[in-house]
Amino acid sequence: MPIPEDVTGDEIDKDVKQELLSLPKTLAEDVAKNLVMVARLIDEDPEGAYGYSKVALRLASRVAAVREAAGFAAYANQKYSEALAEFRAARRMTGSAELWPLMADCERGLGRPEKALDMAGAPDVNKLDKAGQVEMRLVAAGARRDLGQLDAAIVTLQSPELASSSVQPWTARLRYAYADALLAAGREDEAREWFAKAVESDKDGSTDASDRLAEMDGVDFVDALGEEGGEVEAEGVSEKAEAEADVAEADDVEADEDDDEDEGDKD
């Protein structure tokens, strides 16, 4: 697959560079460039990222970083069986538990929520950092919902991290998941409160909490431009404007009639 000229391979993380030192220099450079492309495309073009990950995998399948990148690319394309296999391979190579939540979520993707819950209670979870433990909690709550256990999902998400007033990288997603679970359980007032809290902590727009909150408040937004290219507004705002215009028109007519009467009196 073609590599853009601005990609040199030096953009990759220093730890990954260290892993690639086991390869011949030219090969290491080629692998690095493909890994850069995986990282560059995985959000906006997951299929393209998957293609570059397969190239890197073909070139250096014994490098843990390559197996991990291949796992992420497969995961982004909902190829959960393949992603799980790559994550397992990377874990065997490194001995790290970092990928444990993703592996559990792959089990969910494969329709095995019970397996994901087993993993949530495994000793490996204790080896995770705080971010990893929160991620595992999110996966476990999702597995509960897969099983139709809404109340259990809500309880699973209730934690010191959820109650904390400090904003961490995981805060918005945790609050959002909690709000969504509350809404699914029919607890709308609480859900609205937590969607609002998610909006407060979601500085980079990683969730659609603001849209969900607006939806609950009855705000119905449409495209900024209509089919003919003209500007349109939110339906609620547009209807209000039309009503105000009708009132103004009626006032103008009444004023004109009064003027006519005044003219008649003068005559």
Side-chain angles (χ1 to χ4, degrees):
M1 297 182 68
I3 303 290
E5 292 183 1
D6 64 319
V7 175
T8 65
D10 291 331
E11 301 90 340
I12 61 174
D13 185 83
K14 63 180 181 179
D15 291 335
V16 178
K17 282 185 181 180
Q18 189 67 31
E19 285 191 57
L20 295 180
L21 290 178
S22 62
L23 303 175
K25 187 175 186 297
T26 302
L27 179 59
E29 291 175 353
D30 289 342
V31 173
K33 290 178 181 179
N34 280 281
L35 292 180
V36 170
M37 293 305 298
V38 172
R40 177 179 289 189
L41 298 176
I42 198 163
D43 291 328
E44 297 181 1
D45 181 13
E47 189 173 342
Y50 179 74
Y52 283 103
S53 75
K54 299 300 284 186
V55 174
L57 195 58
R58 187 173 67 249
L59 295 173
S61 62
R62 295 187 178 183
V63 176
V66 171
R67 304 301 291 265
E68 184 174 327
F72 275 109
Y75 181 83
N77 284 275
Q78 299 182 0
K79 299 178 182 291
Y80 297 117
S81 181
E82 187 175 336
L84 183 57
E86 297 301 340
F87 288 147
R88 283 174 173 168
R91 182 170 177 270
R92 284 196 300 269
M93 292 176 179
T94 64
S96 171
E98 182 180 356
L99 296 172
W100 195 253
L102 281 165
M103 292 165 60
D105 206 37
C106 285
E107 295 288 0
R108 282 188 63 212
L110 292 169
R112 301 193 292 248
E114 296 91 346
K115 178 62 176 175
L117 288 174
D118 288 343
M119 294 179 68
D124 297 77
V125 176
N126 297 325
K127 301 176 184 178
L128 297 170
D129 60 14
K130 182 62 68 177
Q133 290 177 4
V134 170
E135 193 66 36
M136 192 71 248
R137 190 177 292 276
L138 289 167
V139 173
R144 291 293 184 189
R145 292 188 62 173
D146 293 342
L147 294 168
Q149 301 171 0
L150 289 177
D151 289 340
I154 291 171
V155 172
T156 299
L157 293 169
Q158 292 171 345
S159 61
E161 293 79 21
L162 179 67
S164 175
S165 59
S166 67
V167 176
Q168 303 295 335
W170 60 77
T171 302
R173 292 179 59 237
L174 185 58
R175 291 177 176 178
Y176 181 93
Y178 188 59
D180 195 44
L182 288 168
L183 186 60
R187 296 161 60 174
E188 294 189 6
D189 290 343
E190 294 173 87
R192 191 199 177 285
E193 176 188 350
W194 282 96
F195 274 128
K197 290 182 178 181
V199 170
E200 291 174 2
S201 57
D202 193 4
K203 304 304 182 185
D204 58 357
S206 61
T207 73
D208 64 346
S210 59
D211 293 338
R212 297 290 299 276
L213 187 61
E215 182 181 339
M216 292 189 73
D217 287 342
V219 179
D220 187 10
F221 290 102
V222 294
D223 291 338
L225 293 176
E227 292 183 2
E228 301 301 325
E231 293 186 2
V232 296
E233 300 173 333
E235 289 185 8
V237 176
S238 179
E239 290 174 2
K240 181 179 178 182
E242 290 178 7
E244 291 175 347
D246 291 341
V247 172
E249 183 177 350
D251 290 343
D252 290 341
V253 170
E254 185 176 346
D256 290 342
E257 291 176 351
D258 291 342
D259 290 342
D260 291 341
E261 291 178 2
D262 292 342
E263 291 294 331
D265 292 341
K266 291 178 181 178
D267 294 340

